[in-house]
Amino acid sequence: MNLAFADWAVMALYLLVVLVIALYCSRRNTSTEEYFVGGRRFRGWVIGLSLVGTSISSVTFLAYPADAFKTGWLRYLPNLALPFAIAMAAWFFLPFFRRGNLTSAYEYLEQRFGPSLRVYGAAAFIIAQLVRVSMILWLLALLIQQLVSIPPATAIVLSGLFVGLYTVVGGIDAVIWTDVLQTVVLILGGILCLWIVVDALPGGLTQLFSEAGRAGKFALAEWGEDGPRTTRWTLSLSEKTATMMLFIGLTNWLTEYASNQNTVQRYCAARSLGEARRALWVYLFTALPLWAFYMLLGTGLWVFFQHFPDPQSQAVLDGTARAETIVPWFITEYLPVGVAGLVVAAALAAAMSSLDSSINAVATVSVVDLYRRHWRPNQEDRHYLAVARGAAALTMILMIVGALWLNGASTRTLQDTSTILVSLLGGGMLGLYLLGFFTRTGNTFSAWCGLICTLIFTGWTLLSEQSWWPEALRAPFDLYYTGLIGNVLMFLVGYGVAYCSGRLWARS
């Protein structure tokens, strides 16, 4: 697949604008307060749009249309829990993080449960983010390889260095403003793709909805050989029902807005509690329609290739080619010159906006929660600023090395890594924060009891996936629900231990 000169020019212009923003923002970075939270002066709409950019990675850019093209809209269902999660975050979570000029999500854990929990939360976040950014960079390299025919290793190194450079130089100011730009580019790229699809169909948008509707392409259900299965709105831990998918979505979103440094850092960068709340509502009313739009793009591509079939689309539908290849194929083969360049820029933006946020967040947590708190306290601020830049640069290097490793690993290795990352390292963090937010009980001991039980439980469910594990000891539920059950377990054990130990102390 080859792009025209005009497409390269559009991509180069986009990358140049990103670099200029970073260099401009670098002039402000004279303190850690500026480098980590931008002087706490951002408006809500800016924070909200930057959160949209951060939450949409290259995985979303490819996977949402791919799922809608191959099956239906089941992937969208967990997102419908987002409004409730945003309301919870806006009115219950935000006040805890806005008190006392916090910079890190894990400072709260020390205030509530003690310093050891802060270290655990920070270390778990850093490890999880290093794996996450390595995966995103690797997937970005695969996308670039499909579009411009260069080796994945070259794409990994070049894109990793570029993202790392503007993040190290520009700090959170560059991250937020480039994420805003990348959100706009993502929206424009999707609109242009769908416009080309609708314009090619004789009946336009009406034809798209009618044909896709008759084929069940909008169904919020599992997909079988004969089409969508019946949507089941029941409570069950043994199968993926629509109701349980909403609970999974709610758990994931509450975890994102209660314990993820990428999000909490944006809370802290807003100029007031009111602006932080406004940011969450901007995010909700931008992200939810945008995800639906990318699902609609995949559905539109399915209708498009019903009328204009080609070998690649047929291979995806037959299962001989990965569904994630359909968007890159459409970009390079069907988009006009110049438009293809902008859409490729949107694909780059989807990955870059996630990578830059994570790099800065890892640097922030490394300095605030570990280095300044435990290793080298009471140093001058310029010392911590230099260490923060070094931590961001080191994160960039580890990200590139991790992506290169993934490029040489098997698909099964990648899947195992992702499962362990989400389930083990993040296990119980939501339950821990909810214990702190909504109860007055709990201490270091009870929190650690809850976490240890959750880690044991999660480890057991991961072992249940192994073929050599005894059948009698396998988990009796769908392993998709490990995170949901783990967070409930964390809360109940933490609360129960605190309550019982309190009663014992009172009697003695």
Side-chain angles (χ1 to χ4, degrees):
M1 301 181 185
N2 294 308
L3 296 174
F5 175 79
D7 297 317
W8 283 101
V10 170
M11 286 191 292
L13 178 62
Y14 164 73
L15 295 175
L16 179 62
V17 171
V18 170
L19 194 57
V20 168
I21 291 174
L23 293 174
Y24 178 80
C25 293
S26 67
R27 302 184 305 170
R28 294 177 178 267
N29 290 325
T30 57
S31 67
T32 54
E33 179 77 359
E34 188 67 42
Y35 196 77
F36 294 149
V37 289
R40 306 180 194 270
R41 64 174 176 274
F42 283 97
R43 293 280 189 181
W45 69 268
V46 177
I47 297 292
L49 289 180
S50 74
L51 283 170
V52 175
T54 298
S55 67
I56 299 179
S57 67
S58 53
V59 179
T60 307
F61 185 85
L62 297 179
Y64 272 48
D67 260 29
F69 179 84
K70 189 72 181 289
T71 59
W73 279 43
L74 183 63
R75 179 183 286 267
Y76 188 72
L77 185 59
N79 295 330
L80 297 180
L82 181 61
F84 182 77
I86 289 292
M88 288 279 291
W91 296 106
F92 295 106
F93 301 169
L94 266 179
F96 289 97
F97 294 115
R98 292 292 305 185
R99 295 170 188 164
N101 284 339
L102 298 186
T103 301
S104 161
Y106 312 107
E107 290 177 274
Y108 170 77
L109 291 182
E110 178 170 6
Q111 294 175 358
R112 183 63 175 81
F113 298 110
S116 62
L117 272 299
R118 178 180 181 179
V119 171
Y120 173 81
F125 173 80
I126 290 171
I127 296 171
Q129 289 301 302
L130 288 175
V131 178
R132 176 177 180 265
V133 294
S134 297
M135 291 178 63
I136 293 174
L137 182 60
W138 175 70
L139 291 170
L140 173 62
L142 294 183
L143 173 62
I144 294 174
Q145 181 192 26
Q146 289 179 315
L147 295 170
V148 297
S149 301
I150 63 173
T154 303
I156 287 171
V157 174
L158 292 179
S159 53
L161 286 174
F162 180 82
V163 174
L165 173 65
Y166 80 75
T167 305
V168 171
V169 170
I172 193 66
D173 293 284
V175 169
I176 288 176
W177 283 113
T178 55
D179 282 1
V180 171
L181 170 65
Q182 287 154 359
T183 299
V184 173
V185 172
L186 271 168
I187 294 172
L188 289 177
I191 289 174
L192 288 172
C193 282
L194 188 61
W195 177 75
I196 296 297
V197 169
V198 172
D199 186 63
L201 297 175
L205 196 61
T206 302
Q207 181 182 356
L208 189 161
F209 277 101
S210 61
E211 292 188 11
R214 285 196 299 270
K217 296 295 290 181
F218 295 109
L220 298 171
E222 295 264 25
W223 202 266
E225 294 182 0
D226 300 325
R229 298 170 182 167
T230 302
T231 303
R232 293 172 56 82
W233 295 93
T234 58
L235 295 173
S236 173
L237 292 176
S238 60
E239 59 180 335
K240 295 184 181 70
T241 67
T243 305
M244 296 306 295
M245 290 287 284
L246 286 174
F247 276 114
I248 290 294
L250 180 61
T251 301
N252 292 340
W253 288 121
L254 287 177
T255 302
E256 177 77 14
Y257 291 99
S259 64
N260 191 322
Q261 173 65 16
N262 286 311
T263 303
V264 172
Q265 197 167 341
R266 308 304 169 89
Y267 299 162
C268 301
R271 63 172 54 183
S272 66
L273 176 61
E275 291 292 337
R277 284 197 176 116
R278 188 171 292 113
L280 290 177
W281 296 117
V282 169
Y283 171 76
L284 171 65
F285 292 115
T286 305
L288 209 56
L290 185 58
W291 291 321
F293 182 84
Y294 272 98
M295 296 295 292
L296 181 62
L297 173 60
T299 305
L301 288 175
W302 180 84
V303 176
F304 176 87
F305 284 115
Q306 297 300 304
H307 294 272
F308 309 102
D310 65 18
Q312 181 67 21
S313 63
Q314 198 59 45
V316 171
L317 291 173
D318 292 342
T320 56
R322 292 171 59 246
E324 287 78 10
T325 62
I326 196 64
V327 171
W329 174 259
F330 179 77
I331 291 172
T332 55
E333 298 297 324
Y334 292 93
L335 294 187
V337 172
V339 174
L342 181 61
V343 176
V344 172
L348 297 177
M352 291 164 58
S353 57
S354 296
L355 295 174
D356 59 14
S357 300
S358 292
I359 292 172
N360 185 265
V362 168
T364 302
V365 170
S366 300
V367 173
V368 173
D369 294 303
L370 301 178
Y371 187 82
R372 186 168 65 189
R373 175 67 180 84
H374 295 285
W375 296 337
R376 293 289 299 277
N378 304 318
Q379 300 295 310
E380 292 185 356
D381 188 69
R382 62 182 180 180
H383 170 79
Y384 296 123
L385 179 60
V387 173
R389 289 196 173 106
L394 179 60
T395 303
M396 173 193 69
I397 294 171
L398 293 175
M399 171 184 71
I400 293 173
V401 171
L404 291 171
W405 175 79
L406 288 172
N407 186 53
S410 66
T411 302
R412 181 62 184 171
T413 300
L414 178 63
Q415 293 171 345
D416 290 345
T417 302
S418 176
T419 300
I420 293 171
L421 161 69
V422 174
S423 300
L424 193 57
L425 293 178
M429 290 305 293
L430 173 61
L432 179 62
Y433 276 89
L434 293 183
L435 181 66
F437 292 156
F438 293 109
T439 75
R440 293 186 177 182
T441 189
N443 51 29
T444 303
F445 176 72
S446 62
W448 273 113
C449 286
L451 279 176
I452 291 171
C453 288
T454 304
L455 289 172
I456 293 172
F457 165 79
T458 305
W460 168 57
T461 60
L462 293 174
L463 288 173
S464 296
E465 290 187 311
Q466 306 303 314
S467 58
W468 51 265
W469 190 250
E471 186 68 30
L473 298 179
R474 293 183 184 274
F477 50 85
D478 193 315
L479 300 184
Y480 191 71
Y481 301 120
T482 298
L484 172 62
I485 300 172
N487 280 297
V488 173
L489 181 65
M490 165 65 229
F491 184 90
L492 293 178
V493 171
Y495 185 86
V497 170
Y499 178 80
C500 293
S501 60
R503 294 288 297 271
L504 291 174
W505 278 108
R507 290 179 179 179
S508 62

